[in-house]
Amino acid sequence: MKSQFYKNTRVPLLYSLIFFAVCLLTITGCSKDEQDHAPAPKTFVLVHGAFQAPYAWQFVKTKLEAAGQKVVIIELPGHGQDQTPPSSITIKTYRDKVVSAITAISGPVVLVGHSLGGAIITAVADTIPGHIEKLVYLAGFVPANNQSIFDLTAMDPNSQFGPALIISADGSTASIPNDKIMQVFAQDGTEAVKQLLIANNRPEPIAAQADKIFLKNPSFASVPKYYIYTNQDHAITIDLQRKMVSAAGIKNVFAIDSGHCPMLTKPDQVTDFLLQIIK
């Protein structure tokens, strides 16, 4: 009778063990697959452009953090709530603010610069290349050695940015009227984006844009570089973007069919590209 009991229980027990093993392998396989596709956590340092402030990165920051990433947004001197006198701001002032933030972070970072921020991250990466894992330009200026932002804008005759500027009496700042800011920066944006731009519109320090960028560190060349084109850009036209990318030899490129500020108008796409870049 005991023998019969073992016969009756052995087969169901064997099936149960096999079923459990299959389930375990399936779960483990799915977990590994998910881990293979999910990018490992990185620290993104985001640098805004002219006429903007940390608010410009708010949507991308939220989405990156939701994907498990760490995010640090830099507030440039003379922007947002910062009251640094415009006349005292140089490209080195911007560079040093970003360098200070990065050197306080443990491990290398993914450094992203939009517009004016592109020139700044170039100077930063030349100063501390060992702290930069990847350098990403989003519609950003990419100055060559001994080149300024003014030098680059002179190569962009179809830009709507320059004609919209009103220079202050003392020459230290430039302004863009509220009725023109949308057309220059985000013609593809919503009414909510328009109100964000207007609410945060303040005069822009301009002396730094005449400063030359000097690239002295040979290690700068080895920092992996990426560029995200903005195909419908009215501020830095796609023609100038392509010229700068070609001159810099940047091979890793993406493109968004947007105006100058896709982090405000198309944050999903910007976030997706940034996550692709770190895989």
Side-chain angles (χ1 to χ4, degrees):
M1 185 165 180
K2 187 183 290 187
S3 175
Q4 185 63 37
F5 172 78
Y6 285 142
K7 288 180 180 179
N8 291 340
T9 58
R10 188 180 301 160
V11 172
L13 179 60
L14 181 60
Y15 284 150
S16 296
L17 289 172
I18 292 172
F19 178 74
F20 175 77
V22 170
C23 289
L24 184 61
L25 287 171
T26 302
I27 293 170
T28 304
C30 289
S31 298
K32 185 179 185 303
D33 186 64
E34 289 172 1
Q35 290 171 359
D36 288 344
H37 287 84
K42 303 289 183 182
T43 298
F44 286 84
V45 175
L46 309 179
V47 182
H48 63 78
F51 290 95
Q52 295 183 359
Y55 82 90
W57 285 112
Q58 61 181 303
F59 305 127
V60 171
K61 178 179 186 290
T62 297
K63 293 177 184 301
L64 284 174
E65 289 178 337
Q69 306 303 311
K70 297 178 181 178
V71 179
V72 175
I73 301 179
I74 306 297
E75 182 175 68
L76 294 176
H79 296 75
Q81 302 303 310
D82 184 274
Q83 297 302 314
T84 303
S87 59
S88 70
I89 296 173
T90 67
I91 201 72
K92 291 181 180 178
T93 310
Y94 293 146
R95 179 201 68 189
D96 292 348
K97 178 68 179 286
V98 181
V99 166
S100 178
I102 291 174
T103 53
I105 296 170
S106 176
V109 306
V110 179
L111 182 57
V112 185
H114 172 249
S115 193
L116 163 70
I120 297 168
I121 67 171
T122 300
V124 170
D126 186 71
T127 304
I128 52 168
H131 289 262
I132 313 302
E133 182 175 342
K134 297 186 180 199
L135 198 63
V136 185
Y137 297 87
L138 174 61
F141 286 109
V142 189
N145 184 44
N146 196 31
Q147 196 170 43
S148 70
I149 292 174
F150 280 168
D151 292 334
L152 290 169
T153 56
M155 300 163 55
D156 199 13
N158 295 320
S159 169
Q160 296 182 28
F161 179 72
L165 295 178
I166 300 173
I167 307 301
S168 65
D170 66 359
S172 66
T173 65
S175 299
I176 295 180
N178 285 339
D179 63 353
K180 293 184 178 179
I181 197 165
M182 191 71 170
Q183 182 63 16
V184 172
F185 287 126
Q187 79 278 8
D188 56 326
T190 62
E191 181 63 24
V193 169
K194 178 180 179 180
Q195 293 309 314
L196 264 178
L197 288 170
I198 290 174
N200 290 278
N201 190 12
R202 61 174 283 191
E204 174 73 18
I206 57 175
Q209 300 192 34
D211 291 338
K212 303 285 188 180
I213 302 287
F214 295 102
L215 304 177
K216 303 175 182 179
N217 195 330
S219 296
F220 170 75
S222 64
V223 177
K225 300 172 182 69
Y226 300 77
Y227 200 98
I228 302 176
Y229 290 123
T230 43
N231 290 334
Q232 305 301 323
D233 204 313
H234 290 174
I236 302 177
T237 68
I238 188 63
D239 290 340
L240 178 58
Q241 291 180 41
R242 287 173 177 154
K243 287 176 185 176
M244 293 188 293
V245 166
S246 176
I250 299 174
K251 304 300 182 185
N252 304 303
V253 298
F254 299 83
I256 298 178
D257 194 30
S258 76
H260 189 58
C261 296
M263 65 284 189
L264 288 171
T265 63
K266 294 188 172 152
D268 288 346
Q269 277 190 264
V270 173
T271 304
D272 286 347
F273 284 156
L274 292 178
L275 292 175
Q276 285 183 48
I277 285 169
I278 65 171
K279 284 184 178 179

